[in-house]
Amino acid sequence: MQLDRLKTFIDDVGLIVRSTDDEHEITARVAERLSALLAAGYRLPPEATRPSSERHLTYPLYIAPDDSWSMASVVWDVGQRTKVHSHETWGVAGIYAGVEHEVRYLKPTASTASTPLTPAGETRWSLGQVTVCCTTDDDVHAVTAVGSEPTVGIHVYGGNIGTIRRRSYDPATGETEWFVSGWDSAEDVSRARASS
């Protein structure tokens, strides 16, 4: 049953991505499907929900053969936070467990580069809630796991998010650094636990 739900979701998202280039239409339709997946009680495999005491982890759940989109389980231990960062693509995130505190910023333009970032609001996302976390024109935020348990999100992105060059920002100065997040695996977590 779980595999059937996941296969249906993957098939639906693949069809959506192939049917249009409009990021706002894609994200609205993917958000609807992700809400339905969470509401139906889809359960992630346990190895895709394990936190690390060192940093948040991004486990691949599906990467389209043509890299047109990807699906990930992103896990933060209690209190962990990301840097302020961009995605450089569209994305939809649904909360599978825990609570996420998101702080959004206006995306800098050429005329506002190297100036402090402008805050654009804060939201707490909890179990079952789904948000369009980014489109290429609006994709700068930071996330913190709040509450008493790790935060686990199911994220769907345009492209292979583990290989996309993205920016991290110093919100006080607007200075940027490029990074590629890569992907994590359950083996990485086991090795980290064994060495600590």
Side-chain angles (χ1 to χ4, degrees), residues 58-62 70-74 153-157 161 183:
T58 304
Y59 298 111
L61 298 174
Y62 179 80
S70 57
M71 179 179 180
S73 171
V74 185
I154 297 177
H155 293 211
V156 181
Y157 292 107
I161 197 65
W183 292 105

Side-chain angles (χ1 to χ4, degrees), residues 35-53:
S35 291
L37 183 71
L38 291 167
Y42 172 72
R43 304 305 304 163
L44 285 167
E47 61 272 16
T49 65
R50 292 183 188 143
S52 163
S53 60

